[in-house]
Amino acid sequence: MFKKFVQITALFNFPIAIGIMIPELLSPQASSFIITLVLASFLICIGAALLWAVSDLPRRAPIIVWNGLVRLFGFVVVTYAASSGMAPTLFIPIAVMDLITAAIYVLGSAKTTGIPVSSLIIGKSNPYQ
């Protein structure tokens, strides 16, 4: 079940990235062109990395954990931005979904592999390293 969840959420990265790229490619803005396309490329990369990671969870779980930590950071940023009036309210439910996904990624990686979160955060996929 955990592997399937990671696979599905990883696959969502691809249409999201394309959805971010298309408007910028259709109407390029000097102030956002590079950062938008690079960000979208990173989304594609992490989607591919997550799909790769689930094929060998005991050795690649740190990738999933770190994606969870990035999503957690995103939640914090959106929460701050929304409370300061810098982000649309529509971003809040998306950020909450990222928070839930982050928790599942971090806790699920630890539970599925039997490796403590602290070890996974520092990249140890073998608790006896």
Side-chain angles (χ1 to χ4, degrees), residues 34-100:
I34 293 171
I35 191 71
T36 301
L37 294 182
V38 170
L39 171 65
S41 297
F42 274 110
L43 283 172
I44 291 169
C45 180
I46 196 60
L50 286 168
L51 291 173
W52 176 73
V54 296
S55 68
D56 188 358
L57 269 173
R59 291 178 33 183
R60 301 178 186 151
I63 292 169
I64 299 168
V65 169
W66 273 97
N67 186 263
L69 296 175
V70 169
R71 287 173 180 268
L72 175 62
F73 181 73
F75 169 79
V76 170
V77 170
V78 169
T79 302
Y80 171 76
S83 68
S84 303
M86 294 187 286
T89 341
L90 172 64
F91 284 14
I92 294 172
I94 295 168
V96 170
M97 287 188 292
D98 268 342
L99 177 64
I100 294 166

Side-chain angles (χ1 to χ4, degrees), residues 108-116 120 127:
S109 291
K111 182 176 181 180
T112 302
T113 63
I115 301 168
L120 292 170

Side-chain angles (χ1 to χ4, degrees), residues 6 14 16 20 23 27 30 32 43 47 51 56 70 86 88 102 106-107 109 120-121 123:
V6 174
F14 299 101
I16 291 169
I20 291 170
S27 179
S32 60
L43 283 172
L51 291 173
D56 188 358
V70 169
M86 294 187 286
V106 172
L107 300 174
S109 291
L120 292 170
I121 287 174

